[in-house]
Amino acid sequence: MAVAMASGSLCLRPTARAGENCLPGLRCCSLRCPPFAAPIASKIRLYSDAAITVPRAASPTTVEDGSSNETDTIPTPKVIIDQDSDPDATIVEITFGDRLGTLLDTMKSLKNLGLNVVKANVYLDSSGKHNKFAITSMSTGRKIEDPELLEAIRLTIINNLIEYHPESSSQLAMGATFGVEPPTQEVDVDIATHIEVYDDGPDRSLLIVETADYPGLLVDLVKIITDINITVQSGEFDTEGLLAKAKFHVSYRDKPIIKPLQQVLSNSLRYFLRRPTTEEASF
């Protein structure tokens, strides 16, 4: 998921207040970003009030304004949020084998978040059908800069995927809470978590984080990074099934991150991602 801003960096403040403009299930953080017309929490719907019908194993899978597929093998859903490839818009790419239609309801849901879908296209390759959207903020006409809104976009897309393709819930971390069929396997966070930092030019480094996905992960990662005074310049956030992979271009005072600070960053991320989820609530 790319997190590149029009100004070239995310404007974040490391202070945090619980319950402030948060999505359900997200840890909160205070973000010094351009204000939007309304709080995100009032705009995003994490589950649908409509009844969800589970398709029979031998029946065609109903798709969002699309076709059907009778394969028994459920493909791995993928959602990519890319802030690097387009200087003026946030690029969103959704793949679920060849089961997706035109995703008109997903585009409507994105508009309900205060976003414009300025361009949409579809292409096919060996991995399936790829739906790509270029989106901007209605209030600014520019790409999305707020990590909380970027996470709201990701969760809205996944929620719609689960609603219109209930078979996908067994392949997604959010399926454990909002899906009709929870994931059949659990991801070992210790095994799944990998963190690497490389120099990436004269003025920045590349941070790669792979870990088990959960709602709010994108916001948490950005907050951890900025809490130690590291700037997130841009990046990409990929959701692939139960796993998430983030690639952030980061810097410290407009320079690449030196080795000791790289170690601090890696240790901070590893501690946060691997700690028990009940830790804060237990004390």
Side-chain angles (χ1 to χ4, degrees), residues 83-153:
Q83 295 281 90
D84 276 335
S85 59
D86 191 313
D88 302 315
T90 297
I91 305 300
V92 174
E93 182 175 328
I94 311 167
T95 307
F96 188 45
D98 59 357
R99 303 188 179 201
L100 298 179
T102 55
L103 302 184
L104 295 178
D105 287 272
T106 294
M107 286 191 280
K108 181 179 178 181
S109 296
L110 293 175
K111 290 181 180 179
N112 289 339
L113 290 176
L115 306 171
N116 286 318
V117 179
V118 296
K119 183 169 59 177
N121 61 66
V122 177
Y123 70 92
L124 298 172
D125 63 15
S126 59
S127 64
K129 184 179 180 181
H130 301 254
N131 294 65
K132 294 184 72 172
F133 306 117
I135 57 178
T136 60
S137 168
M138 286 184 182
S139 61
T140 66
R142 302 168 69 180
K143 68 196 310 177
I144 314 307
E145 299 185 1
D146 186 349
E148 285 193 358
L149 185 53
L150 289 168
E151 180 70 336
I153 293 167

Side-chain angles (χ1 to χ4, degrees), residues 230-242:
I230 292 175
T231 301
V232 179
Q233 297 180 349
S234 64
E236 179 180 303
F237 194 93
D238 301 351
T239 306
E240 185 169 346
L242 301 176

